[in-house]
Amino acid sequence: MTRIFLPLVFLHFVGLVAGVTTGVVYGTSRDIASAQRSLAHVLQWDWFSVHFLCGLAVAVLTLFVHCLVFTYFLGTGRWVKEVAYAYGLPDQPWPKRTRELKRQAFPPALLAMLLTIVLVASGAAAQVGAWPWWIHLGLAGAAVLANFFAWTVEYRAISENIVVLDRVMAEVQRLASTSNDDNDDTPT
């Protein structure tokens, strides 16, 4: 999972930087009216459109990355629980540890997703003039920080979960080889 997670986080980071950068450029270019407008008309593109599309793509990517982590922990947690049940393994340490890791990763990921959704709504409100622009900018900073925090917590939890999965597999293989050894000793 870390092989998938790290490139997605990098792409997510680049998207966040692009979204914030285009937002700042758009915000400052609104004050430099004549030169920017004439250039935008020539290019048939303006900074708002770039910022809007960048922000929309980053919002979807934010939801995707964190929901992928949710799905990963739900799936691996269920697998560890079922393997433990099938092989008679105790709840302590592995199934319990996967639940703890899931509980560590979910709150920061959910916060990052919710802040991103509120950020998108505040951008729409700022665009139509219902809210001042600085609320959108402040929420952008909060969303970026929340995503950085979520990434670190998620990465640590995923890395530790991989160790748990490896240990469960090793225990299952040990039990299976012990079972095969016991069957080999029985006379036919």
Side-chain angles (χ1 to χ4, degrees), residues 79 94 160-173:
W79 179 83
W94 299 304
E160 192 171 334
N161 195 58
I162 289 170
V163 172
V164 169
L165 295 176
D166 289 342
R167 289 183 180 162
V168 169
M169 282 301 296
E171 182 64 17
V172 166
Q173 290 171 351

Side-chain angles (χ1 to χ4, degrees), residues 110-123:
L110 186 59
L111 176 65
M113 288 190 295
L114 291 175
L115 275 173
T116 301
I117 291 167
V118 172
L119 171 63
V120 170
S122 74

Side-chain angles (χ1 to χ4, degrees), residues 11 21 23 67 121 123 140 151 179 186 188:
L11 182 64
T21 303
C67 284
W151 294 335
S179 175
T186 57
T188 53

Side-chain angles (χ1 to χ4, degrees), residues 4 10 13 16 71 73 84 95 100 109 137-139 150 155 169 172 185:
I4 296 168
F10 177 74
F13 170 75
L16 285 171
T71 305
F73 277 108
E100 291 168 351
L137 181 62
L139 284 169
Y155 183 76
M169 282 301 296
V172 166
D185 293 341

Side-chain angles (χ1 to χ4, degrees), residues 15-163:
L16 285 171
V17 169
V20 171
T21 303
T22 58
V24 169
V25 169
Y26 167 65
T28 56
S29 70
R30 290 191 312 183
D31 299 330
I32 309 169
S34 63
Q36 292 293 337
R37 267 192 242 134
S38 63
L39 180 62
H41 289 302
V42 169
L43 297 176
Q44 294 298 310
W45 200 251
D46 62 5
W47 282 110
F48 169 73
S49 298
V50 174
H51 176 62
F52 177 80
L53 292 175
C54 216
L56 184 61
V58 169
V60 171
L61 186 58
T62 298
L63 298 175
F64 175 73
V65 168
H66 297 301
C67 284
L68 182 67
V69 172
F70 276 29
T71 305
Y72 170 77
F73 277 108
L74 290 173
T76 58
R78 178 70 179 200
W79 179 83
V80 169
K81 181 180 173 183
E82 288 180 8
V83 167
Y85 177 75
Y87 284 89
L89 301 175
D91 187 56
Q92 181 80 343
W94 299 304
K96 182 179 179 189
R97 186 64 190 142
T98 58
R99 285 192 306 272
E100 291 168 351
L101 291 170
K102 178 177 67 172
R103 289 180 185 140
Q104 286 174 12
F106 277 27
L110 186 59
L111 176 65
M113 288 190 295
L114 291 175
L115 275 173
T116 301
I117 291 167
V118 172
L119 171 63
V120 170
S122 74
Q127 179 60 26
V128 298
W131 286 5
W133 63 267
W134 54 266
I135 292 176
H136 181 57
L137 181 62
L139 284 169
V144 167
L145 291 175
N147 276 288
F148 272 103
F149 179 67
W151 294 335
T152 58
V153 171
E154 289 168 333
Y155 183 76
R156 273 183 285 158
I158 288 168
S159 297
E160 192 171 334
N161 195 58
I162 289 170
V163 172

Side-chain angles (χ1 to χ4, degrees), residues 174-188:
R174 186 190 68 76
L175 290 172
S177 69
T178 303
S179 175
N180 288 339
D181 291 343
D182 291 343
N183 291 337
D184 290 342
D185 293 341
T186 57
T188 53

